[in-house]
Amino acid sequence: MPETTHVDYSTKIPNNVGLMDDQRVLKALEQWHPGYIDWWMTMGPEGFQTSDVYLRTAVSIDPKGWAKFDYVKMPDYRWGILLAPRHDGRQVNFGAHKGEPAWQEVPGEYRAMLRRLIVVQGDTEPASVEQQRFLGKTAPSLYDMRNLFQVNVEEGRHLWAMVYLLHKYFGKDGREEADELLNRRSGDDDKPRMLGAFNEETPDWLSFFMFTFFTDRDGKMQLESLAQSGFDPLSRTCRFMLTEEAHHMFVGETGVGRAIESTCLAMKAAGIEDPNDIEAVRRLGVIDLPTMQKKANLHFSLSLDLFGSEVSTNAANYYNSGVKGRFQETRIDDDHQLTNAVYPVSKLVDGRIKMVDEPALTAINMRLRDDYVADCSKGVERWNKVIEKAGVNFRLKLPHVAFHRHIGEFQNVKASPDGEVLSDGDWSKRKDQWLPSKADGDFIQSLMAPCWERGKFASWIAPPKVGIDNKGGDFEYVKIHQA
Ligand code: BYC
Ligand code: FE
Ligand code: FE
């Protein structure tokens, strides 16, 4: 069967890539499948594998109406391989090969590079599921629990998307990499996940929402850049992943937004005017706004590290080779080769943070990070609208890009959220004002009691404006049958 917009459900692995006629890859994936299920059962959402969850499953790649909703037990979810439609005549749109037909096979000279990018992308997907595996137990509502599980199964599908590329285009070493993707573990001392942020804990629901807002948004930016790839199968698979990614960021933005709303309403009802009166606010069973700011500081800075170094020859090579482009590459008005162009990069010069022009080719990571920061800012402004509307005098803001960094230009400096360079001593004294302290974590943990009654929401989070799939907030999004 040729590639279609319809998804073939007759094979064990739903797909629109004609797996029926590609027995070699079908067999390889069928062999990988039990290991995946084993991973899902041991590292996936703990305690809910037998529950019925109201999930969306992709049934088509038609942008209008690609998903259907129904109750599914997560281990029975139909993880499929879905690529966006092929565009006839698509070209490599940037770099040294600009104007050549897009590649349907992996160019030999870029094989190692492409494999590396696909493995890094693939590694983040199961990592996030591992990080979130205990959260079901403290879900603030059935609605939120369902959203967590929706994100989890889709990250599982994103792993499948990368594993398909490895099996189909990278032969024996691709199969080995696919196996390794099931062997690494988030936070493990011996076999950690590849990128920093994916070895951190997601200890509570506020972190989960911040993670889906900030870190899934890095996912969006990276997928957008890979969707520009001259390697067409990678481009197409990333394009479809992006349709799912929108929901993940929705979960994050509305999750934090609802927590803010609950806090502001409780403050108003109790007549608390000072948002910094943390003790008084916490006594109301809601999370104070300064603590939300600290969590945002943490997750934003960890996510900035995911863009790599501001100045990177790796990034220049990816771009020049045509394997990884810029955000919305084809909409940018320039030569798409960047032979003589420069781009301003924030750097540490003589102990001061300054903008310095660098060759645009080596500043590709910086540019993507700038696009990311702009996207984050818009979301933060929407949170500020919630605060403003409630009449509370407080504003959230993104910390400076030099704050709390572990990768790139600022990894060896200590800076405040305002971008002031600090001595180690000053940093140690003040860091608990800017990052969640142990006491903050303990307080948030104290609010993380499960709230699983239909239509009920934990005190610290407001109900959503609308439910999922036109259902109300009181719909039974998860029928819990605990194992
Ligand atoms: N942690 O030239 P450099 C998602 C390494 S999230 C550890 O500065 P480069 C999702 C780097 O690998 C999106 N190591 O950076 C979200 C290199 O090592 P080698 C995931 C790091 O290579 C939520 C060395 O440092 N997708 O989808 O230009 C839930 C020098 O690297 C880190 C991608 O990331 C780090 N943070 O860029 C679920 C896209 N940063 O090669 C899913 C694919 C750098 O010297 N990946 N290093 O051994 C890439 O495009 C690039 O690998 C990076 C790094 C952007 C990550
Ligand atoms: Fe993903
Ligand atoms: Fe995601």
Side-chain angles (χ1 to χ4, degrees):
M1 200 170 75
E3 295 182 9
T4 57
T5 54
H6 186 74
V7 180
D8 178 5
Y9 272 90
S10 68
T11 47
K12 189 167 176 185
I13 302 151
N15 71 92
N16 71 335
V17 293
L19 271 189
M20 269 297 239
D21 300 323
D22 196 348
Q23 289 294 315
R24 180 187 67 82
V25 175
L26 180 60
K27 288 234 163 63
L29 288 171
E30 283 178 351
Q31 273 172 18
W32 187 79
H33 190 256
Y36 172 81
I37 293 296
D38 193 45
W39 167 81
W40 179 269
M41 295 307 287
T42 50
M43 296 312 293
E46 194 179 274
F48 297 91
Q49 304 281 9
T50 54
S51 296
D52 292 292
V53 187
Y54 195 69
L55 293 176
R56 73 174 180 192
T57 304
V59 288
S60 157
I61 52 164
D62 183 346
K64 301 189 267 321
W66 56 274
K68 84 168 201 293
F69 290 81
D70 207 349
Y71 285 106
V72 187
K73 293 191 188 359
M74 285 184 279
D76 300 334
Y77 190 77
R78 300 297 305 270
W79 284 284
I81 294 157
L82 306 162
L83 274 60
R86 189 186 289 197
H87 295 165
D88 288 333
R90 180 166 181 267
Q91 297 183 340
V92 182
N93 292 317
F94 57 90
H97 300 282
K98 184 174 178 293
E100 295 174 19
W103 312 306
Q104 299 306 325
E105 295 294 331
V106 176
E109 56 191 315
Y110 303 142
R111 188 186 159 88
M113 210 182 259
L114 274 164
R115 193 183 78 190
R116 168 89 184 164
L117 286 173
I118 291 167
V119 167
V120 171
Q121 179 62 51
D123 192 67
T124 63
E125 315 288 3
S128 67
V129 176
E130 292 163 4
Q131 289 169 296
Q132 295 162 14
R133 62 188 288 244
F134 299 118
L135 291 174
K137 296 182 175 173
T138 54
S141 71
L142 293 180
Y143 166 85
D144 290 291
M145 185 191 279
R146 177 263 167 214
N147 284 348
L148 166 71
F149 296 156
Q150 182 71 60
V151 170
N152 292 159
V153 294
E154 285 175 353
E155 301 302 7
R157 202 200 69 72
H158 292 175
L159 170 61
W160 274 93
M162 293 302 125
V163 163
Y164 166 71
L165 295 178
L166 290 169
H167 277 145
K168 168 100 180 151
Y169 297 100
F170 293 87
K172 183 164 173 294
D173 39 331
R175 287 196 295 281
E176 286 167 8
E177 294 281 18
D179 291 343
E180 281 307 304
L181 285 168
L182 294 177
N183 287 333
R184 286 184 289 272
R185 291 284 179 274
S186 175
D188 193 284
D189 287 337
D190 300 323
K191 283 190 156 264
R193 291 294 173 182
M194 298 172 87
L195 301 178
F198 293 90
N199 290 306
E200 300 285 330
E201 282 182 22
T202 310
D204 55 61
W205 276 77
L206 184 57
S207 268
F208 169 67
F209 292 134
M210 291 289 181
F211 183 98
T212 44
F213 181 89
F214 287 112
T215 308
D216 281 72
R217 194 177 307 275
D218 167 58
K220 167 185 160 180
M221 301 309 287
Q222 300 294 343
L223 290 172
E224 288 274 3
S225 313
L226 294 172
Q228 302 292 337
S229 185
F231 179 45
D232 204 42
L234 176 60
S235 164
R236 291 171 54 206
T237 210
C238 290
R239 269 185 272 147
F240 188 74
M241 289 161 78
L242 280 164
T243 59
E244 294 164 317
E245 208 56 64
H247 178 64
H248 305 181
M249 282 172 295
F250 163 86
V251 169
E253 184 176 326
T254 56
V256 175
R258 289 161 50 217
I260 292 172
E261 187 186 337
S262 185
T263 300
C264 292
L265 292 180
M267 284 171 64
K268 282 285 151 188
I272 299 172
E273 288 301 324
D274 179 8
N276 295 310
D277 189 350
I278 288 169
E279 292 312 314
V281 174
R282 286 185 177 184
R283 273 196 295 274
L284 306 173
V286 293
I287 305 171
D288 52 287
L289 298 175
T291 297
M292 293 202 208
Q293 176 69 63
K294 290 187 194 178
K295 281 270 192 186
N297 290 350
L298 175 65
H299 288 273
F300 178 66
S301 58
L302 289 170
S303 302
L304 290 180
D305 283 341
L306 295 171
F307 289 84
S309 299
E310 290 81 349
V311 177
S312 162
T313 50
N314 282 351
N317 290 336
Y318 295 150
Y319 187 84
N320 204 35
S321 310
V323 304
K324 187 183 174 196
R326 291 171 294 176
F327 180 58
Q328 301 188 330
E329 180 70 44
T330 49
R331 295 194 210 165
I332 300 171
D333 183 21
D334 65 13
D335 70 355
H336 303 278
Q337 294 188 314
L338 307 179
T339 12
N340 298 311
V342 292
Y343 189 86
V345 172
S346 56
K347 296 190 113 182
L348 194 70
V349 184
D350 302 330
R352 291 263 189 102
I353 297 164
K354 288 196 176 138
M355 299 307 281
V356 179
D357 275 350
E358 290 284 338
L361 207 47
T362 59
I364 294 279
N365 287 343
M366 174 77 193
R367 178 170 181 138
L368 189 65
R369 198 188 74 192
D370 282 344
D371 291 330
Y372 168 80
V373 172
D375 206 43
C376 288
S377 303
K378 287 187 210 152
V380 172
E381 279 319 304
R382 288 189 291 267
W383 290 339
N384 281 331
K385 286 261 157 34
V386 178
I387 302 175
E388 211 179 289
K389 199 173 145 209
V392 172
N393 185 20
F394 190 88
R395 284 182 67 76
L396 290 164
K397 63 177 194 184
L398 295 174
H400 193 280
V401 291
F403 172 76
H404 188 241
R405 297 297 307 281
H406 299 93
I407 297 279
E409 197 58 34
F410 304 114
Q411 59 181 317
N412 296 319
V413 289
K414 301 279 188 288
S416 75
D418 292 329
E420 180 197 349
V421 178
L422 303 173
S423 69
D424 283 0
D426 275 347
W427 166 260
S428 305
K429 260 184 254 145
R430 297 170 70 186
K431 76 175 196 325
D432 278 359
Q433 298 170 22
W434 301 322
L435 291 168
S437 65
K438 165 105 182 29
D440 296 327
D442 289 347
F443 167 69
I444 295 174
Q445 242 4 291
S446 76
L447 294 182
M448 295 295 125
C451 184
W452 297 349
E453 215 178 306
R454 255 179 94 155
K456 289 263 159 57
F457 290 80
S459 63
W460 62 271
I461 191 162
K465 297 269 172 303
V466 286
I468 294 293
D469 188 34
N470 298 320
K471 305 281 189 275
D474 60 351
F475 181 72
E476 192 173 16
Y477 289 101
V478 184
K479 294 181 183 169
I480 298 174
H481 313 291
Q482 277 197 303

